[in-house]
Amino acid sequence: MSKLVIWGRTNSINVQKVLWTCAELELAFERIDAGLQFGVNKTPEYMQNNPNGLVPLINDNGFILWESHAIMRYLARKHDHQGAIAPQDPQKDALVDQWLDWYNTVAWPAMKPLFWGWVRTPAEQRNVDELEKARLQMVVILEMLEKQLGKAVYVSGAQFTLADIPLALLAFRWFNLALERPSFPNLSKWYEEIAKRPGFQKYSSGPLT
Ligand SMILES: N[C@@H](CCC(=O)N[C@@H](CS)C(=O)NCC(=O)O)C(=O)O
């Protein structure tokens, strides 16, 4: 029987993407804690499999893969024969890729300083002016998502797909930071819908750490 092993701590957004994807695809897996306080990810054995020394990493019956979006796509390609979360139509699938890339190149780079500043930096070391600039930048970026969600029910179109997963995990962080937030009705409506999914409930929730 094929065995999927995932390395990564459950509070990592990148690990959560993979765990939630497994939940959508109803895949069984073994998870090994790694990263931050758990260590593991900088050991020579781990670095041989992932030279970045980051989580997540998977071993799928001998096939090694890192980079959370590559892992999500791989699992969907292997198991999602009906196109339940990764559309088979090339254009719909390309739109999924577009938003996954947008998350990596635009949305998360803007969110990361806010998350690290408010969650992982001691209060006395925070640069509040820089954090305010980061918040305003994030508002501009979320306006793009707000517009998109005014045209489509889900991020890449009419169907829930892989593209919703990272952005919903980002939105969880945005909504759970004690920040001033403008009203984004489309984003809120989408988020409320997504928050009903068992994979989101199981892997995204809990205090931000
Ligand atoms: N682009 C990579 C980023 C992976 C990444 O930055 N992982 C973080 C956790 S979210 C990490 O391993 N940090 C070091 C640690 O946890 O020790 C991906 O999407 O998988």
Side-chain angles (χ1 to χ4, degrees):
M1 193 176 114
S2 130
K3 186 173 169 198
L4 173 64
V5 183
I6 302 169
W7 280 264
R9 54 191 167 80
T10 53
N11 63 345
S12 147
I13 191 165
N14 291 303
V15 174
Q16 289 173 353
K17 293 175 200 171
V18 173
L19 299 177
W20 181 358
T21 302
C22 287
E24 294 289 341
L25 296 171
E26 300 183 355
L27 298 181
F29 59 85
E30 177 194 341
R31 189 185 60 78
I32 299 174
D33 272 323
L36 289 184
Q37 74 271 28
F38 299 103
V40 178
N41 54 322
K42 301 294 178 194
T43 61
E45 299 78 37
Y46 189 96
M47 299 278 286
Q48 267 192 353
N49 285 331
N50 182 353
N52 299 295
L54 298 173
V55 292
L57 164 74
I58 67 162
N59 182 335
D60 185 28
N61 215 22
F63 176 63
I64 303 288
L65 192 64
W66 39 265
E67 280 298 328
S68 57
H69 292 182
I71 296 170
M72 293 165 73
R73 289 190 187 109
Y74 163 71
L75 293 174
R77 263 183 221 125
K78 184 171 172 187
H79 299 283
D80 186 12
H81 306 298
Q82 305 302 322
I85 57 170
Q88 289 171 342
D89 172 82
Q91 292 181 356
K92 289 182 180 155
D93 198 29
L95 290 172
V96 173
D97 283 348
Q98 169 189 281
W99 286 103
L100 287 175
D101 285 359
W102 183 78
Y103 167 98
N104 261 346
T105 56
V106 177
W108 183 250
M111 188 66 197
K112 191 174 176 181
L114 276 178
F115 177 74
W116 273 84
W118 288 115
V119 178
R120 295 211 177 135
T121 305
E124 65 281 5
Q125 290 172 25
R126 270 181 207 139
N127 184 333
V128 176
D129 291 342
E130 285 301 315
L131 285 170
E132 178 55 9
K133 275 191 213 151
R135 186 188 70 81
L136 292 171
Q137 175 63 19
M138 198 63 222
V139 168
V140 171
I141 285 164
L142 289 176
E143 270 164 6
M144 287 189 232
L145 194 54
E146 169 69 6
K147 276 200 190 128
Q148 170 65 7
L149 291 167
K151 293 186 279 183
V153 180
Y154 292 101
V155 167
S156 71
Q159 179 198 344
F160 174 89
T161 67
L162 291 177
D164 292 281
I165 293 178
L167 288 164
L169 293 169
L170 179 150
F172 176 81
R173 283 150 179 78
W174 173 250
F175 285 122
N176 283 282
L177 287 175
L179 294 177
E180 187 190 332
R181 283 181 291 273
S183 161
F184 285 136
N186 301 325
L187 182 73
S188 297
K189 189 167 165 239
W190 162 80
Y191 183 71
E192 274 167 33
E193 202 50 41
I194 296 274
K196 294 178 190 157
R197 299 185 85 87
F200 175 91
Q201 289 172 4
K202 187 160 182 191
Y203 295 116
S204 78
S205 53
L208 293 179
T209 54

